[in-house]
Amino acid sequence: MVAAEAASRDEPPRALFGGAMRLVLEHGFADVSGLRQVPDNQEVFADTASDRSVIVEILELVADDEIRDSGVESSPARFHFDAYIHDCEPLSAELCCIEPIGVTHSATERSALVRDARCAAAWLVLGRMRAHKFNERAPEQAAQVDVYLAVFRLPAVASDITLVLNVPIGCSTDSSDTSFAAKAEFVRLAKSLEISDWALFGLP
């Protein structure tokens, strides 16, 4: 993993949404839009060697009253985690922790997006689920997947941006290992996400 992280730091940023956003990904991640239809508000990449996947999604800003009405503990991060898990239709899932991004870091250590005044808040969410891959349906074929989710709140442009890294860690029901080995990799990934052209959101 250390070698992979070092290699990823040497990778040039990938252009997202026509170049309006950028993200630094390892070389092995390929754009899946050539293989299947991807919604206009998403960018999806997959690494076939490890079955990892990365999803960047631009969503409508979730209103505070909608979060309260959902029964979620008044957290946009929890709201987006639950929505993502719901869409995945896993056999089971759990949220392990939510951490604010940038609170304990100096300005120079934060990502460009978190430093931007238009980003009101950001969170890192760690969770896991047991889910089937593609057309597999037998319970014993369900893989445990660590889910890394970053949420960036942009009320100035009425948007929430989510970044997801899915890391399958095997066909196991053992959830005792809570180390989340790819956390450092995901933090690096989240720090590399930036908006280079705010016209994507209708701003000059």
Side-chain angles (χ1 to χ4, degrees):
M1 185 64 69
V2 173
E5 291 178 7
S8 65
R9 286 194 290 268
D10 297 330
E11 292 290 334
R14 306 278 187 100
L16 310 177
F17 303 107
M21 295 177 66
R22 296 187 296 182
L23 180 71
V24 178
L25 283 171
E26 293 175 26
H27 179 71
F29 281 92
D31 187 344
V32 307
S33 62
L35 302 175
R36 64 175 175 85
Q37 186 173 2
V38 174
D40 291 341
N41 68 321
Q42 289 184 1
E43 294 276 7
V44 183
F45 302 86
D47 178 10
T48 56
S50 63
D51 280 340
R52 293 176 299 165
S53 60
V54 169
I55 305 168
V56 181
E57 187 167 14
I58 301 173
L59 300 163
E60 183 178 353
L61 186 76
V62 179
D64 291 339
D65 57 352
E66 185 177 354
I67 295 173
R68 288 192 296 268
D69 292 344
S70 72
V72 178
E73 301 170 358
S74 300
S75 167
R78 178 62 187 265
F79 183 95
H80 284 297
F81 177 82
D82 286 348
Y84 177 72
I85 292 298
H86 177 269
D87 291 343
C88 291
E89 300 182 338
L91 297 177
S92 62
E94 63 175 323
L95 184 150
C96 297
C97 72
I98 299 176
E99 303 173 4
I101 295 176
V103 172
T104 59
H105 298 91
S106 67
T108 56
E109 292 175 321
R110 301 176 195 170
S111 68
L113 185 52
V114 172
R115 291 199 308 269
D116 194 295
R118 286 164 287 199
C119 181
W123 298 269
L124 168 65
V125 185
L126 304 179
R128 52 179 37 126
M129 61 182 174
R130 288 188 65 234
H132 290 112
K133 178 182 177 182
F134 304 122
N135 293 323
E136 297 172 350
R137 285 295 177 264
E140 64 272 13
Q141 293 177 315
Q144 182 167 300
V145 179
D146 283 353
V147 178
Y148 302 79
L149 169 70
V151 178
F152 301 92
R153 196 112 164 115
L154 308 176
V157 291
S159 300
D160 287 331
I161 295 178
T162 60
L163 170 67
V164 177
L165 170 66
N166 294 302
V167 181
I169 58 176
C171 298
S172 170
T173 57
D174 180 16
S175 60
S176 60
D177 180 9
T178 58
S179 60
F180 287 95
K183 181 179 178 180
E185 174 191 355
F186 183 69
V187 170
R188 177 205 58 75
L189 187 70
K191 286 177 64 176
S192 77
L193 181 66
E194 62 177 311
I195 299 172
S196 52
D197 185 0
W198 286 86
L200 175 67
F201 301 93
L203 295 183

